[in-house]
Amino acid sequence: MRWCNLQGKRVLHPPAWIGVVGGGQLGRMLAMEAKRMGYSVVVLDPTENSPAGQVADFQIVAPFSDKTALRKLAEQSDVITYEFEHIDAEALHELEIENHTVIPSSKTLKIIKDKYLQKMTLYNANLPVPPFCKIESKEDLVKRIGEFGLPVVLKARQGGYDGKGNFVIKSESDVDLAYEKLAGKDLMLEKYIHFVKELSILVARNFEGEVKFYPVVENIHEENILRITKVPAQIDSSIKSKVEQIARKVVEVLNDCGIFCIELFLDSNGQVFINEIAPRPHNSGHYTIEACVTSQFEQLVRILTGMPLGSTQLISPCVMVNILGNDEVFGKYTVEGLEKILSMEKVYLHLYGKSTTSRLRKLGHITVLDENVEKAERKALETLSHLKIKPL
Amino acid sequence: MRWCNLQGKRVLHPPAWIGVVGGGQLGRMLAMEAKRMGYSVVVLDPTENSPAGQVADFQIVAPFSDKTALRKLAEQSDVITYEFEHIDAEALHELEIENHTVIPSSKTLKIIKDKYLQKMTLYNANLPVPPFCKIESKEDLVKRIGEFGLPVVLKARQGGYDGKGNFVIKSESDVDLAYEKLAGKDLMLEKYIHFVKELSILVARNFEGEVKFYPVVENIHEENILRITKVPAQIDSSIKSKVEQIARKVVEVLNDCGIFCIELFLDSNGQVFINEIAPRPHNSGHYTIEACVTSQFEQLVRILTGMPLGSTQLISPCVMVNILGNDEVFGKYTVEGLEKILSMEKVYLHLYGKSTTSRLRKLGHITVLDENVEKAERKALETLSHLKIKPL
């Protein structure tokens, strides 16, 4: 362990090791920033040559459920973090007991990875969430629909992401299919919020309890996958400060350090509801790489190593669009049309090095900086029109 | 080979392979940008786990003189570049004959790596260089000193860098030592220019012959090692356009594509002289990572893959300082004081992941953005005062 005590503060100096559970694009961009700053990075992921593994010092190739592999990661690392939530919080807790540093803590992970426990924690802290409840049986579901009114969202409490594990019930005829789809899982129900905007905010909190917000951004999802992030969100300053107040309270309630993304719904009455919290860098924060003084990934490196937070100041309005796999190409692929995209000014291309594509798989993203969000959005959509995913 | 023909233009789409001869910090930062854009990177370097090898897809560990290793690199790569000049231009030329793409070409490398041939090429193109000549013997040296007047610089024609292979002769009593130090090498002599500023400029040129300049910057060397780069250089606009004209002519004369750094001396009469040219990204261009729309490394990736050049616009005045090994610590090391450095705003830390330090070894750099060069410089020097290299 390379932790140093500096007048009561614990810091990690390069070349200390950062261990990352998960080798996807979030781990990749985190590893790139950590390497830039001179830290060493080890990644745990079941897929050889994972996006993060490609740029890390080395990768442990093993399933996330492999406790021996997790222990190996811990032994190599001075601090451990994770880039997604669907890992065993108990196993991380065992590492904490053995004095390994896990950020955010297993306690936070345990709360967040169970959507019901997450909502309950927020609700108990008087944070605004949509009406929700546990669902134990189909009868229960029907009864609660009676109370909440349609539409509602039936959710698996654990393991869902990018819309997987969610089912929007719009009419009573959807109930059977929804229940069948999610059969065997622990379930919860939420009232569907008729939002006018989907917002999110990144919050950073370090060991010292220092808290910094990134700008409130506006997200557009399709088929439950993030497509566009517009920065900053075009909202009243009263909404902005409401969102920041919520964000501050969320990290106070969790009482932990890390990067947190809070996704919210804004309805037509100007009310905001927390949709969900991610205890890690987030797709809607990728824009920070080029558009903020400190990227969400550098910020997490700072937090993991006990350093002061960096400025979250926005340098320029921008729009981020995701590059997703399509219906036509599966397996190995190449990306064409870059010569058109790269001829446009202030366009930043990120491809994640995933060896295969599939429908809606996140292959990369493009961030476009411009003098206002409208211009940036027009340009960002144009870049997508040029981009072609072709079989290799 | 993954080269595609697009209306007569040759482009490489991700995940095409970029091969880099040399695994130092330039290769590392190049690899990081290439990976970000979805390209694959292989590095050739004799030192296992080299700075570039750490972030590349893989490294071929072999001496640069190993032709089999070089051929292996070529076979893996769709395009080959190099991050330093002291490699065998003939071996690269053999690869070109076999239809491998080498950028910049072996012809350019051959000219540039021989300082006399380089100066002669520039001189023949009427570009401003200090008076220079070949030196065949010590008698020759004494005779030429008589013509040029003191001080002069005796240089090994090949293989020198960071002042190694150079000897400034200030008085006649230095002649014996200088000649002894460089004994056995092909030599040249140059009149020493009493400069008021050392300037440099990066120029990018792609397949299409499109040329873009980065800002003219001002460099401060000590013991022949770059210490500080100030951006933009505080010079008259007439000097700036003179430097740009020179830069344009240099890439026209070389008639090649790549990133070129032209280092110049400015004397008290407002005259500029080319000191030397590097056919690759350059230490004095590291500031472009944070302070320009397109970094020198992304620019090179664009050039290597046949893409249009990116904007070279300066976003903010800035100062870069190198982090160098000191007299006291040799071997394995850690870098302390980061908690103070990272508490300062718009300070970007780069450490190269070199496992050992030695005197004046380039271990990393720090770029500071601020509203003007003076403020950025003050802050940059402050960061260095906090930074401590400690044995590990």
Side-chain angles (χ1 to χ4, degrees), chain A residues 53-119:
Chain A
Q54 291 168 30
V55 298
D57 288 271
F58 74 99
Q59 179 181 337
I60 298 169
V61 181
F64 298 123
S65 57
D66 180 339
K67 286 200 179 182
T68 314
L70 198 62
R71 171 145 295 115
K72 197 176 151 197
L73 181 84
E75 277 156 12
Q76 177 68 51
S77 305
D78 296 301
V79 61
I80 300 162
T81 190
Y82 40 89
E83 57 129 40
F84 75 139
E85 294 89 81
H86 307 309
I87 51 174
D88 184 356
E90 281 310 314
L92 288 186
H93 184 56
E94 284 170 29
L95 297 178
E96 289 169 339
I97 290 170
E98 292 166 25
N99 252 326
H100 293 291
T101 307
V102 180
I103 294 172
S105 71
S106 68
K107 186 171 148 275
T108 297
L109 176 62
K110 198 177 162 187
I111 292 169
I112 285 180
K113 68 180 289 202
D114 180 337
K115 288 178 182 173
Y116 177 75
L117 197 54
Q118 183 190 129
K119 279 271 151 63

Side-chain angles (χ1 to χ4, degrees), chain B residues 227-229 319-323 364-367 380-381 383-384:
Chain B
R227 303 302 172 107
I228 304 180
T229 298
V319 167
M320 188 237 39
V321 287
N322 271 339
I323 300 172
H365 73 267
I366 292 171
T367 301
L381 295 176
T383 66
L384 284 188

Side-chain angles (χ1 to χ4, degrees), chain A residues 229-256:
Chain A
T229 298
K230 305 182 201 182
V231 188
Q234 310 294 294
I235 49 172
D236 289 352
S237 64
S238 65
I239 306 286
K240 180 174 174 281
S241 40
K242 208 185 282 184
V243 169
E244 286 177 354
Q245 275 166 33
I246 289 169
R248 182 178 294 280
K249 194 152 175 193
V250 165
V251 290
E252 277 169 11
V253 168
L254 293 173
N255 191 25
D256 202 353

